[in-house]
PDB file of all heavy atoms in Angstrom:
ATOM      1  N   PRO A1332     102.763   8.550 -45.627  1.00 95.00           N
ATOM      2  CA  PRO A1332     102.787   8.619 -47.093  1.00 95.00           C
ATOM      3  C   PRO A1332     103.496   9.843 -47.645  1.00 95.00           C
ATOM      4  O   PRO A1332     103.723   9.923 -48.859  1.00 95.00           O
ATOM      5  CB  PRO A1332     101.291   8.654 -47.448  1.00 95.00           C
ATOM      6  CG  PRO A1332     100.632   9.258 -46.249  1.00 95.00           C
ATOM      7  CD  PRO A1332     101.410   8.763 -45.076  1.00 95.00           C
ATOM      8  N   PHE A1333     103.872  10.787 -46.794  1.00 96.00           N
ATOM      9  CA  PHE A1333     104.464  12.029 -47.284  1.00 96.00           C
ATOM     10  C   PHE A1333     105.982  11.939 -47.480  1.00 96.00           C
ATOM     11  O   PHE A1333     106.580  12.842 -48.047  1.00 96.00           O
ATOM     12  CB  PHE A1333     104.152  13.179 -46.314  1.00 96.00           C
ATOM     13  CG  PHE A1333     102.685  13.434 -46.128  1.00 96.00           C
ATOM     14  CD1 PHE A1333     102.054  13.187 -44.910  1.00 96.00           C
ATOM     15  CD2 PHE A1333     101.913  13.923 -47.178  1.00 96.00           C
ATOM     16  CE1 PHE A1333     100.699  13.426 -44.747  1.00 96.00           C
ATOM     17  CE2 PHE A1333     100.553  14.162 -47.019  1.00 96.00           C
ATOM     18  CZ  PHE A1333      99.947  13.913 -45.805  1.00 96.00           C
ATOM     19  N   ILE A1334     106.623  10.890 -46.985  1.00 97.00           N
ATOM     20  CA  ILE A1334     108.084  10.870 -47.000  1.00 97.00           C
ATOM     21  C   ILE A1334     108.630  10.219 -48.262  1.00 97.00           C
ATOM     22  O   ILE A1334     107.988   9.391 -48.900  1.00 97.00           O
ATOM     23  CB  ILE A1334     108.656  10.137 -45.761  1.00 97.00           C
ATOM     24  CG1 ILE A1334     108.288   8.650 -45.763  1.00 97.00           C
ATOM     25  CG2 ILE A1334     108.216  10.796 -44.480  1.00 97.00           C
ATOM     26  CD1 ILE A1334     109.047   7.860 -44.710  1.00 97.00           C
ATOM     27  N   GLU A1335     109.859  10.598 -48.602  1.00 97.00           N
ATOM     28  CA  GLU A1335     110.607   9.979 -49.689  1.00 97.00           C
ATOM     29  C   GLU A1335     111.474   8.869 -49.095  1.00 97.00           C
ATOM     30  O   GLU A1335     112.190   9.090 -48.123  1.00 97.00           O
ATOM     31  CB  GLU A1335     111.493  11.018 -50.384  1.00 97.00           C
ATOM     32  CG  GLU A1335     110.721  12.122 -51.082  1.00 97.00           C
ATOM     33  CD  GLU A1335     109.935  11.597 -52.275  1.00 97.00           C
ATOM     34  OE1 GLU A1335     110.400  10.634 -52.913  1.00 97.00           O
ATOM     35  OE2 GLU A1335     108.853  12.143 -52.554  1.00 97.00           O
ATOM     36  N   THR A1336     111.423   7.678 -49.674  1.00 96.00           N
ATOM     37  CA  THR A1336     112.110   6.521 -49.101  1.00 96.00           C
ATOM     38  C   THR A1336     113.095   5.866 -50.057  1.00 96.00           C
ATOM     39  O   THR A1336     113.670   4.826 -49.744  1.00 96.00           O
ATOM     40  CB  THR A1336     111.084   5.465 -48.659  1.00 96.00           C
ATOM     41  OG1 THR A1336     110.351   5.021 -49.806  1.00 96.00           O
ATOM     42  CG2 THR A1336     110.113   6.024 -47.632  1.00 96.00           C
ATOM     43  N   HIS A1337     113.313   6.452 -51.241  1.00 94.00           N
ATOM     44  CA  HIS A1337     114.078   5.781 -52.296  1.00 94.00           C
ATOM     45  C   HIS A1337     115.512   5.458 -51.898  1.00 94.00           C
ATOM     46  O   HIS A1337     116.116   4.510 -52.413  1.00 94.00           O
ATOM     47  CB  HIS A1337     114.086   6.643 -53.562  1.00 94.00           C
ATOM     48  CG  HIS A1337     114.727   7.985 -53.365  1.00 94.00           C
ATOM     49  ND1 HIS A1337     114.045   9.048 -52.803  1.00 94.00           N
ATOM     50  CD2 HIS A1337     115.974   8.436 -53.635  1.00 94.00           C
ATOM     51  CE1 HIS A1337     114.855  10.092 -52.744  1.00 94.00           C
ATOM     52  NE2 HIS A1337     116.036   9.753 -53.243  1.00 94.00           N
ATOM     53  N   ASP A1338     116.103   6.224 -50.974  1.00 96.00           N
ATOM     54  CA  ASP A1338     117.515   6.040 -50.628  1.00 96.00           C
ATOM     55  C   ASP A1338     117.698   5.387 -49.251  1.00 96.00           C
ATOM     56  O   ASP A1338     118.796   5.396 -48.699  1.00 96.00           O
ATOM     57  CB  ASP A1338     118.238   7.382 -50.650  1.00 96.00           C
ATOM     58  CG  ASP A1338     117.609   8.406 -49.704  1.00 96.00           C
ATOM     59  OD1 ASP A1338     116.446   8.204 -49.290  1.00 96.00           O
ATOM     60  OD2 ASP A1338     118.289   9.399 -49.391  1.00 96.00           O
ATOM     61  N   LEU A1339     116.631   4.813 -48.712  1.00 98.00           N
ATOM     62  CA  LEU A1339     116.706   4.261 -47.357  1.00 98.00           C
ATOM     63  C   LEU A1339     116.938   2.755 -47.374  1.00 98.00           C
ATOM     64  O   LEU A1339     116.488   2.050 -48.272  1.00 98.00           O
ATOM     65  CB  LEU A1339     115.417   4.567 -46.587  1.00 98.00           C
ATOM     66  CG  LEU A1339     115.086   6.046 -46.357  1.00 98.00           C
ATOM     67  CD1 LEU A1339     113.746   6.176 -45.657  1.00 98.00           C
ATOM     68  CD2 LEU A1339     116.194   6.737 -45.563  1.00 98.00           C
ATOM     69  N   GLU A1340     117.626   2.295 -46.325  1.00 98.00           N
ATOM     70  CA  GLU A1340     117.803   0.856 -46.119  1.00 98.00           C
ATOM     71  C   GLU A1340     116.553   0.249 -45.487  1.00 98.00           C
ATOM     72  O   GLU A1340     116.218  -0.900 -45.702  1.00 98.00           O
ATOM     73  CB  GLU A1340     119.012   0.621 -45.204  1.00 98.00           C
ATOM     74  CG  GLU A1340     119.421  -0.824 -45.050  1.00 98.00           C
ATOM     75  CD  GLU A1340     120.262  -1.323 -46.208  1.00 98.00           C
ATOM     76  OE1 GLU A1340     120.769  -0.499 -46.984  1.00 98.00           O
ATOM     77  OE2 GLU A1340     120.393  -2.553 -46.334  1.00 98.00           O
ATOM     78  N   GLY A1341     115.875   1.036 -44.667  1.00 98.00           N
ATOM     79  CA  GLY A1341     114.683   0.580 -43.962  1.00 98.00           C
ATOM     80  C   GLY A1341     114.428   1.484 -42.776  1.00 98.00           C
ATOM     81  O   GLY A1341     114.800   2.663 -42.791  1.00 98.00           O
ATOM     82  N   GLY A1342     113.824   0.939 -41.739  1.00 98.00           N
ATOM     83  CA  GLY A1342     113.544   1.770 -40.578  1.00 98.00           C
ATOM     84  C   GLY A1342     112.899   0.989 -39.454  1.00 98.00           C
ATOM     85  O   GLY A1342     112.847  -0.250 -39.469  1.00 98.00           O
ATOM     86  N   LEU A1343     112.431   1.720 -38.454  1.00 98.00           N
ATOM     87  CA  LEU A1343     111.804   1.119 -37.270  1.00 98.00           C
ATOM     88  C   LEU A1343     110.511   1.861 -36.975  1.00 98.00           C
ATOM     89  O   LEU A1343     110.448   3.099 -37.062  1.00 98.00           O
ATOM     90  CB  LEU A1343     112.757   1.189 -36.075  1.00 98.00           C
ATOM     91  CG  LEU A1343     112.222   0.654 -34.746  1.00 98.00           C
ATOM     92  CD1 LEU A1343     113.303  -0.140 -34.020  1.00 98.00           C
ATOM     93  CD2 LEU A1343     111.728   1.793 -33.839  1.00 98.00           C
ATOM     94  N   TRP A1344     109.479   1.121 -36.596  1.00 98.00           N
ATOM     95  CA  TRP A1344     108.175   1.682 -36.242  1.00 98.00           C
ATOM     96  C   TRP A1344     107.886   1.407 -34.776  1.00 98.00           C
ATOM     97  O   TRP A1344     107.959   0.265 -34.317  1.00 98.00           O
ATOM     98  CB  TRP A1344     107.084   1.064 -37.123  1.00 98.00           C
ATOM     99  CG  TRP A1344     105.660   1.272 -36.648  1.00 98.00           C
ATOM    100  CD1 TRP A1344     104.833   0.318 -36.142  1.00 98.00           C
ATOM    101  CD2 TRP A1344     104.913   2.495 -36.655  1.00 98.00           C
ATOM    102  NE1 TRP A1344     103.611   0.867 -35.842  1.00 98.00           N
ATOM    103  CE2 TRP A1344     103.627   2.204 -36.139  1.00 98.00           C
ATOM    104  CE3 TRP A1344     105.206   3.802 -37.055  1.00 98.00           C
ATOM    105  CZ2 TRP A1344     102.635   3.175 -36.011  1.00 98.00           C
ATOM    106  CZ3 TRP A1344     104.220   4.774 -36.910  1.00 98.00           C
ATOM    107  CH2 TRP A1344     102.951   4.452 -36.402  1.00 98.00           C
ATOM    108  N   ASP A1345     107.601   2.472 -34.028  1.00 98.00           N
ATOM    109  CA  ASP A1345     107.163   2.354 -32.632  1.00 98.00           C
ATOM    110  C   ASP A1345     105.764   2.931 -32.534  1.00 98.00           C
ATOM    111  O   ASP A1345     105.578   4.148 -32.597  1.00 98.00           O
ATOM    112  CB  ASP A1345     108.103   3.105 -31.697  1.00 98.00           C
ATOM    113  CG  ASP A1345     107.660   3.032 -30.241  1.00 98.00           C
ATOM    114  OD1 ASP A1345     106.633   2.373 -29.955  1.00 98.00           O
ATOM    115  OD2 ASP A1345     108.331   3.637 -29.381  1.00 98.00           O
ATOM    116  N   PRO A1346     104.751   2.077 -32.391  1.00 98.00           N
ATOM    117  CA  PRO A1346     103.365   2.575 -32.370  1.00 98.00           C
ATOM    118  C   PRO A1346     103.026   3.388 -31.136  1.00 98.00           C
ATOM    119  O   PRO A1346     102.010   4.100 -31.131  1.00 98.00           O
ATOM    120  CB  PRO A1346     102.541   1.283 -32.425  1.00 98.00           C
ATOM    121  CG  PRO A1346     103.429   0.223 -31.850  1.00 98.00           C
ATOM    122  CD  PRO A1346     104.817   0.608 -32.273  1.00 98.00           C
ATOM    123  N   LEU A1347     103.844   3.327 -30.067  1.00 97.00           N
ATOM    124  CA  LEU A1347     103.521   4.021 -28.816  1.00 97.00           C
ATOM    125  C   LEU A1347     104.286   5.326 -28.654  1.00 97.00           C
ATOM    126  O   LEU A1347     104.210   5.964 -27.606  1.00 97.00           O
ATOM    127  CB  LEU A1347     103.808   3.099 -27.627  1.00 97.00           C
ATOM    128  CG  LEU A1347     102.908   1.871 -27.523  1.00 97.00           C
ATOM    129  CD1 LEU A1347     103.312   1.004 -26.339  1.00 97.00           C
ATOM    130  CD2 LEU A1347     101.441   2.270 -27.419  1.00 97.00           C
ATOM    131  N   ASP A1348     105.046   5.716 -29.670  1.00 97.00           N
ATOM    132  CA  ASP A1348     105.732   7.006 -29.651  1.00 97.00           C
ATOM    133  C   ASP A1348     104.690   8.118 -29.806  1.00 97.00           C
ATOM    134  O   ASP A1348     103.574   7.873 -30.261  1.00 97.00           O
ATOM    135  CB  ASP A1348     106.737   7.055 -30.798  1.00 97.00           C
ATOM    136  CG  ASP A1348     107.892   8.012 -30.522  1.00 97.00           C
ATOM    137  OD1 ASP A1348     107.653   9.062 -29.905  1.00 97.00           O
ATOM    138  OD2 ASP A1348     109.021   7.702 -30.941  1.00 97.00           O
ATOM    139  N   GLY A1349     105.059   9.323 -29.419  1.00 96.00           N
ATOM    140  CA  GLY A1349     104.118  10.422 -29.582  1.00 96.00           C
ATOM    141  C   GLY A1349     104.629  11.703 -28.981  1.00 96.00           C
ATOM    142  O   GLY A1349     105.840  11.884 -28.798  1.00 96.00           O
TER     143      GLY A1349
END
Side-chain angles (χ1 to χ4, degrees):
F1333 300 113
I1334 65 169
E1335 295 293 328
T1336 62
H1337 61 279
D1338 57 342
L1339 298 177
E1340 188 81 15
L1343 177 139
W1344 165 250
D1345 179 1
L1347 293 178
D1348 206 324

